[in-house]
């Protein structure tokens, strides 16, 4: 039988495989974060009719080998991990990776990797993908500290979580005291502070000019009661605090812990003009509940509470691979490790070569329809040409058989 028949058959089979890949690419043109594949061909081992001969000294030159190819086969089917375009969704649980990396998801037994960041919250507060696989990362501790060196955990957003109140511990002042004030002139300023139960109190600080140049006394009271602290502030000739830049005040609170305040006056000035000294900072707050969450480009999920406070809750992990093209497709926009993908390098976004996370956006498919349609035409013509090889070889065989007649 003619070798060309079998070469033509191999061409038909492998062009059909290429068409299968093209069809899959086009079918997934709107699949979130889908990565197109391509087929490369290579020739099958050739049959050597006559080997090569080297040149002879003073005689004939060399002769090239005589070989007949036996057809074509699939060299590789490669996944192209080029960046897809971003589509804005404004959904706070939609994430797109700009650059290298994969989200890590798990069902509790198997770990998968995906570029598809169309996540949502489940009933228990877990961040999950469309198949219910839990997104992996690191949870913050009670103080909002995230340790990315620990083992991966399920990302959990405690909807409706409560934040305990915090008693005010530190007070800071800014502004000016009038350098032209007369003895016994006063300046009074007030601000809200919080006790250990989160109850609000009014702290009042009264500044009084003394008979000494550049010297003021201060006295702190709470809710109009007795003084809990007092002291003296001395300014230098440059109008800046020279001594007495810090102070303390303590107040007994019925039913709560005593309120112990450390007061910082170091940012005050004494220049000519109207006084403006005020309490610019206090670190206490009332109790609050989780109202909303935000996520930054590093994948840090921060909770915003009804008391105006914010605290990191978790951080999404990203994984990179030495050879992402070696990953095994598992369906559902998921990949798993193979023998040739290498082991994952897991860490936060924007570190170790990992990309950043775009919030409220999804990565679109990287399928190029113009290229796919061109590939389809080329593949169709290749298939037709190989079918002609089979037809022509058959006619030649028929002519050979007809010689007997």
């Amino acid at each position: 039988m003619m070798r060309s028949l079998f070469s033509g058959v191999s061409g038909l089979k492998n062009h059909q495989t290429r068409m299968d890949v093209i069809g899959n690419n086009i079918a997934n043109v709107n699949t979130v974060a889908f990565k197109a594949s391509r087929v490369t061909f290579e020739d099958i081992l050739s049959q050597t009719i006559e080997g090569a001969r080297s040149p002879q000294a003073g005689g004939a030159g060399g002769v090239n080998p005589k070989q007949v190819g036996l057809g074509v086969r699939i060299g590789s089917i490669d996944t192209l991990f080029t960046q897809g375009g971003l589509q804005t969704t404004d959904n706070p649980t939609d994430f797109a990776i700009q650059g290298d990396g994969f989200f890590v998801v798990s069902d509790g037994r198997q770990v998968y990797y995906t570029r598809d960041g169309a996540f949502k919250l489940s009933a228990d507060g877990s961040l999950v993908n469309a198949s219910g696989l839990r997104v992996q990362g690191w949870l913050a501790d009670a103080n909002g500290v995230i340790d990315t060196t620990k083992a991966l955990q399920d990302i959990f957003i405690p909807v409706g979580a409560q934040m305990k109140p915090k008693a005010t511990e530190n007070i800071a002042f800014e502004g000016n005291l009038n350098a032209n004030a007369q003895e016994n002139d006063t300046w009074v300023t007030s601000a809200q502070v919080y006790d250990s139960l989160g109850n609000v109190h009014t702290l009042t600080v009264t500044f009084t000019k003394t008979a000494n140049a550049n010297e003021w006394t201060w006295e702190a009271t709470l809710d109009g009661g007795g003084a809990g602290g007092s002291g003296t502030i001395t300014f230098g000739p440059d109008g800046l605090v020279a001594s007495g830049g810090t102070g303390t005040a303590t107040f007994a609170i019925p039913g709560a812990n005593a309120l112990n305040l450390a007061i910082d006056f170091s940012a005050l000035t004494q220049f000519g003009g109207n006084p403006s000294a005020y309490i610019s900072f206090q670190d206490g707050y009332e109790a609050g509940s989780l109202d909303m969450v935000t996520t930054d480009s590093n994948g840090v999920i921060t909770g915003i509470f009804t008391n105006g406070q914010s605290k990191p809750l978790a951080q999404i992990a990203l994984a990179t691979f030495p050879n992402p093209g070696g990953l095994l497709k598992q369906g559902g926009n998921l990949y798993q490790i193979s023998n040739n993908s290498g082991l994952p390098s897991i860490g936060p976004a924007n570190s170790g070569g990992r990309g950043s996370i775009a919030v409220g956006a999804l990565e679109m498919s990287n399928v190029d329809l113009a290229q796919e349609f061109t590939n389809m035409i080329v593949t169709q013509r290749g298939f037709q040409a190989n079918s002609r090889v089979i037809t022509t070889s058959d006619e030649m065989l028929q002519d050979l058989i007809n010689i007997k007649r």
Side-chain angles (χ1 to χ4, degrees):
M1 298 295 290
M2 300 177 66
R3 285 184 292 258
S4 57
L5 276 173
F6 298 100
S7 294
V9 170
S10 71
L12 292 179
K13 290 174 60 179
N14 291 295
H15 277 81
Q16 179 60 60
T17 299
R18 189 185 191 199
M19 185 61 73
D20 293 339
V21 172
I22 294 171
N24 183 62
N25 288 343
I26 294 175
N28 285 281
V29 68
N30 289 317
T31 299
V32 175
F34 177 80
K35 299 304 178 185
S37 297
R38 71 176 181 190
V39 177
T40 60
F41 292 149
E42 63 183 19
D43 62 332
I44 300 176
L45 177 67
S46 298
Q47 180 179 352
T48 301
I49 298 175
E50 182 179 335
R53 296 198 302 270
S54 61
Q56 303 298 313
V63 176
N64 293 329
K66 298 180 178 65
Q67 294 179 295
V68 178
L70 300 179
V72 67
R73 64 184 176 188
I74 300 296
S76 66
I77 301 177
D78 305 311
T79 303
L80 306 177
F81 282 97
T82 56
Q83 178 75 48
L86 300 189
Q87 177 185 7
T88 301
T89 66
D90 294 327
N91 183 349
T93 58
D94 282 345
F95 306 107
I97 300 174
Q98 297 186 89
D100 293 337
F102 296 82
F103 298 109
V104 185
V105 295
S106 174
D107 61 2
R109 299 181 301 275
Q110 296 289 330
V111 176
Y112 301 92
Y113 305 91
T114 182
R115 296 275 298 187
D116 181 357
F119 300 142
K120 58 187 176 181
L121 291 178
S122 65
D124 63 355
S126 297
L127 190 64
V128 299
N129 73 351
S131 301
L133 300 178
R134 299 175 188 266
V135 181
Q136 301 295 291
W138 305 274
L139 298 180
D141 63 18
N143 297 319
V145 177
I146 300 173
D147 185 356
T148 59
T149 64
K150 291 185 176 180
L152 292 180
Q153 302 168 281
D154 296 343
I155 295 292
F156 176 77
I157 299 176
V159 178
Q162 297 295 308
M163 176 181 282
K164 295 180 181 179
K166 180 182 182 299
T168 301
E169 297 177 347
N170 298 285
I171 297 290
F173 278 83
E174 290 185 12
N176 185 61
L177 293 173
N178 188 3
N180 300 317
Q182 302 299 309
E183 182 181 359
N184 294 325
D185 284 353
T186 61
W187 174 254
V188 180
T189 184
S190 300
Q192 290 184 338
V193 294
Y194 299 87
D195 63 24
S196 60
L197 299 178
N199 295 317
V200 180
H201 301 273
T202 300
L203 175 71
T204 301
V205 178
T206 302
F207 297 94
T208 304
K209 183 68 177 66
T210 71
N212 298 325
N214 300 332
E215 185 179 84
W216 294 73
T217 62
W218 63 271
E219 182 180 77
T221 61
L222 193 70
D223 298 330
S230 60
T232 301
I233 305 172
T234 302
F235 293 91
D238 58 358
L240 303 180
V241 173
S243 64
T246 59
T248 60
T250 301
F251 302 95
I253 307 294
N257 294 331
L259 190 62
N260 299 306
L261 302 177
I263 308 176
D264 183 1
F265 298 104
S266 62
L268 286 175
T269 61
Q270 183 191 245
F271 300 133
N274 294 328
S276 60
Y278 68 100
I279 297 174
S280 60
F281 170 79
Q282 70 85 29
D283 60 356
Y285 47 81
E286 62 187 352
S289 57
L290 184 61
D291 183 45
M292 61 179 293
V293 296
T294 62
T295 308
D296 64 17
S297 62
N298 296 322
V300 177
I301 301 172
T302 301
I304 310 297
F305 292 79
T306 54
N307 58 4
Q309 301 299 308
S310 62
K311 184 175 73 171
L313 302 176
Q315 186 168 10
I316 298 171
L318 293 185
T320 56
F321 291 87
N323 176 29
L327 292 170
L328 291 171
K329 293 182 178 181
Q330 298 296 319
N333 294 342
L334 302 175
Y335 300 88
Q336 276 193 309
I337 296 171
S338 77
N339 292 334
N340 198 42
S341 65
L343 296 177
S345 173
I346 297 176
N350 287 319
S351 70
R354 302 173 194 90
S356 62
I357 295 177
V359 183
L362 292 174
E363 183 182 8
M364 296 186 289
S365 167
N366 69 349
V367 172
D368 184 342
L369 277 179
Q371 183 65 55
E372 296 301 327
F373 284 136
T374 301
N375 291 342
M376 186 186 301
I377 294 171
V378 172
T379 303
Q380 180 183 15
R381 295 309 180 199
F383 188 92
Q384 289 175 335
N386 279 277
S387 68
R388 295 297 184 271
V389 169
I390 295 176
T391 301
T392 303
S393 297
D394 177 58
E395 291 175 352
M396 292 174 67
L397 286 173
Q398 184 65 42
D399 290 341
L400 178 62
I401 292 173
N402 288 341
I403 291 176
K404 175 66 171 64
R405 299 178 183 174

